[in-house]
């Protein structure tokens, strides 16, 4: 059975930085090919990509992932019914959300549990929260807001309102359809209601350096501005760990699954391929242009990729990380790692695709500078905007032919 798979491969050099820390505060790392590599977790870059969507897509096409889901729902209710106070909305919103997701929704308790805390709670009530993060689209929240308004308008007791089989079924239906782009791409897991889970259409690999890395530590001091000349020494001292690396980044998008996830989100008169095209274009740009924010103020490590390779396939995803199982080394003392990494990819990609009969249907290349020249033979070259447009049109065209 023919599939449509989008592969995105990126080479990106990052100077001294600490993009993604482990539990000790050091940059994350992994052993690959027998040597220690710099690593940036898939979760870190997925979040960076998802945050980039805020600038690339309309808010109606996005979702929110939060424990404070009652507050998020109450905001939508209040926007439509300004006369309703938040505290009036909370009980109905909590019950409707519980009916839709089966998640436990309750008011968080004060930690110490003393009389003073109980008095504070009475004076400053808190909105109920989910026991774990819930990921709901803007359209799903809007639909549930309508249900909340209906319940409040009917003057029903919240628990009685959601006991009605039709209301409960409507709540479930709202939560199970009209998925946002970020939910369709990155999936949703609801522990208490597997029937509204969404399988992720996008897979993002942990970014790995193409070479061995040394972890370094920066010793720093801060001077107290109010100190006089008679008070020498630092007001604070400390250390921060960092490394620098040329990273290989990889992601794959199952276009067919993405289309199924977005089918229920079609607007009236919209072609089936349009939401998928917008999602694909946003994903490529968001993934390529985003950067995890760990220690960004400390290091200012705001680089862009040296090379982006996008492939459209009819079989299965293919990562080319194997090109770097043997860590690349500088060809001479004046050469960096990018040139050697590009040569490794230029040799590895055709060899793998020929050996397994896995040649891509289309390949697009974005490359910067003469040190990436070896990649020019792999596919059609384009700058980012034309590349994104061409890929989006190719994906929409394939979906259009199928349906």
């Amino acid at each position: 059975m023919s599939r449509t798979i989008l592969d995105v491969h990126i080479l990106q050099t990052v100077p001294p930085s600490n993009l993604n820390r482990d539990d000790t505060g050091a940059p994350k790392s992994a052993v690959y090919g027998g040597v220690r590599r710099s690593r940036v977790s898939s979760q870190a870059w997925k979040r960076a990509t998802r945050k980039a969507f805020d600038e690339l897509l309309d808010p109606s096409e996005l979702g929110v992932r939060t424990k404070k889901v009652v507050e998020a729902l109450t905001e939508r209710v209040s926007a439509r019914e300004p006369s309703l106070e938040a505290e009036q909305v909370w009980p109905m919103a909590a019950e409707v959300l519980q009916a839709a997701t089966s998640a436990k929704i309750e008011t968080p308790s004060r930690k110490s549990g003393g009389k003073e805390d109980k008095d504070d709670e009475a004076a400053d009530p808190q909105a109920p929260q989910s026991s774990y993060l819930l990921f709901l689209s803007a359209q799903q929240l809007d639909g549930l807001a309508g249900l909340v308004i209906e319940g409040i308008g009917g003057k029903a007791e919240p628990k009685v309102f959601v006991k009605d089989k039709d209301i409960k079924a409507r709540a479930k239906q709202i939560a199970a359809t009209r998925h946002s782009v970020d939910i369709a791409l990155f999936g949703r897991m609801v522990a208490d209601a597997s029937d509204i889970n969404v399988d992720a259409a996008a897979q993002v690999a942990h970014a790995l350096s193409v070479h061995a890395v040394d972890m370094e530590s920066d010793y720093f001091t801060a001077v107290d501005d109010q100190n006089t000349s008679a008070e020498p020494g630092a007001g604070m001292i400390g250390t921060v760990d960092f490394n620098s690396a040329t990273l290989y980044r990889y992601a794959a998008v199952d276009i067919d699954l993405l289309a199924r996830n977005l089918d229920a989100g079609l607007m009236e008169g919209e072609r089936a391929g349009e939401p998928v095209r917008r999602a694909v274009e946003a994903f490529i740009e968001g993934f390529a242009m985003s950067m995890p924010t760990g220690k960004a103020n400390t290091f200012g490590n705001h680089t862009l990729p040296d090379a982006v390779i996008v492939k459209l396939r009819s079989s299965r995803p293919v990562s080319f990380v194997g090109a770097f199982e043997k860590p690349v080394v500088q060809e001479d003392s004046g050469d960096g790692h990018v040139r050697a990494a590009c040569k490794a990819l230029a040799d590895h990609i055709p060899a793998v695709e020929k050996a397994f009969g896995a040649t891509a249907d289309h390949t697009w290349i974005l490359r910067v500078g003469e040190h990436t020249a070896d990649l020019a033979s792999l596919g059609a070259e384009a700058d980012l905007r034309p590349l994104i447009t061409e890929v989006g049109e190719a994906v929409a065209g394939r979906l259009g032919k199928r349906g």
Side-chain angles (χ1 to χ4, degrees):
M1 178 179 173
S2 179
R3 302 171 66 189
T4 302
I5 301 293
L6 187 77
D7 285 334
V8 183
H9 314 264
I10 293 176
L11 288 175
Q12 184 165 356
T13 298
V14 184
S17 56
N18 190 341
L19 296 178
N20 186 208
R21 287 167 276 177
D22 64 18
D23 57 339
T24 70
K28 288 186 177 178
S29 65
V31 173
Y32 181 62
V35 300
R36 179 68 58 183
R37 314 290 184 111
S38 176
R39 175 173 68 92
V40 180
S41 73
S42 60
Q43 295 92 329
W45 231 301
K46 279 191 282 190
R47 175 165 173 76
T49 303
R50 195 161 62 83
K51 295 305 289 181
F53 289 167
D54 292 343
E55 304 296 325
L56 300 172
L57 293 167
D58 189 87
S60 64
E61 296 183 279
L62 298 174
V64 60
R65 187 179 65 179
T66 180
K67 289 183 178 182
K68 299 177 182 179
V69 68
V70 170
E71 292 182 37
L73 184 52
T74 299
E75 287 174 7
R76 281 171 161 74
V77 172
S78 298
R80 290 160 64 172
E81 296 289 341
S83 62
L84 292 174
E85 296 289 336
E87 290 177 45
Q88 290 178 269
V89 177
W90 290 347
M92 185 66 74
E95 291 297 332
V96 167
L97 283 164
Q98 198 156 294
T101 66
S102 300
K104 190 175 183 180
I105 310 284
E106 59 186 10
T107 303
S109 59
R110 305 287 181 178
K111 289 187 177 178
S112 69
K115 180 180 183 302
E116 186 178 329
D117 293 305
K118 291 180 182 178
D119 290 343
D120 288 344
E121 193 169 335
D124 183 24
Q126 293 180 282
Q129 295 183 10
S130 168
S131 57
Y132 48 80
L133 295 171
L134 285 176
F135 201 176
L136 293 169
S137 73
Q139 293 187 67
Q140 288 163 354
L141 286 169
D142 286 339
L144 293 173
L147 211 54
V148 170
I149 292 169
E150 181 181 330
I152 294 174
K155 301 190 183 303
E157 284 294 319
K159 289 187 181 296
V160 174
F161 179 68
V162 299
K163 274 186 179 178
D164 183 281
K165 288 184 179 179
D166 177 60
I167 296 298
K168 188 172 284 189
R170 286 168 59 192
K172 281 279 188 186
Q173 177 69 9
I174 290 169
T177 56
R178 301 163 74 189
H179 300 309
S180 58
V181 168
D182 41 4
I183 291 175
L185 280 166
F186 299 121
R188 177 176 69 193
M189 204 260 313
V190 181
D192 298 301
S194 59
D195 54 328
I196 64 168
N197 285 349
V198 179
D199 291 332
Q203 298 175 346
V204 177
H206 292 242
L208 286 178
S209 64
V210 301
H211 52 85
V213 297
D214 293 318
M215 299 298 171
E216 301 182 70
S217 185
D218 177 37
Y219 170 82
F220 66 88
T221 66
V223 177
D224 189 325
D225 290 344
Q226 292 289 84
N227 277 3
T228 67
S229 57
E231 299 173 287
M236 185 183 98
I237 60 174
T239 60
V240 59
D241 295 327
F242 68 94
N243 62 30
S244 59
T246 297
L247 299 170
Y248 171 73
R249 299 168 50 204
Y250 170 71
V253 180
D254 184 328
I255 301 299
D256 305 298
L257 178 54
L258 178 62
R260 291 196 296 272
N261 286 349
L262 288 172
D263 268 350
L266 280 177
M267 299 177 185
E268 188 175 350
E270 194 168 38
R271 290 190 302 136
E274 282 306 301
V276 178
R277 179 186 61 77
R278 289 198 302 273
V280 165
E281 292 182 358
F283 180 79
I284 294 172
E285 183 167 357
F287 184 59
M289 299 289 286
S290 64
M291 175 76 78
T293 56
K295 289 288 184 182
N297 288 342
T298 302
F299 292 101
N301 46 261
H302 305 294
T303 63
L304 289 171
D306 296 277
V308 179
I309 303 171
V310 179
K311 287 180 172 281
L312 201 59
R313 301 185 174 280
S314 302
S315 52
R316 50 153 287 179
V318 181
S319 167
F320 296 124
V321 70
F324 311 113
E325 195 272 340
K326 178 182 178 182
V328 302
V329 294
Q330 299 177 8
E331 293 182 0
D332 61 59
S333 59
D335 235 354
H337 289 109
V338 174
R339 185 187 299 275
C342 289
K343 185 177 188 309
L345 272 181
D347 292 341
H348 184 76
I349 291 173
V352 169
E353 291 185 335
K354 180 181 178 182
F356 291 94
T359 304
D361 300 328
H362 300 281
T363 300
W364 296 266
I365 307 290
L366 180 160
R367 64 182 189 86
V368 179
E370 57 87 24
H371 53 299
T372 63
D374 286 308
L375 299 179
S377 62
L378 296 179
E381 291 191 54
D383 292 336
L384 183 63
R385 180 49 51 193
L387 182 153
I388 288 172
T389 300
E390 288 178 27
V391 175
E393 289 175 351
V395 166
R398 287 178 68 137
L399 291 175
K401 288 179 182 178
R402 292 188 189 182

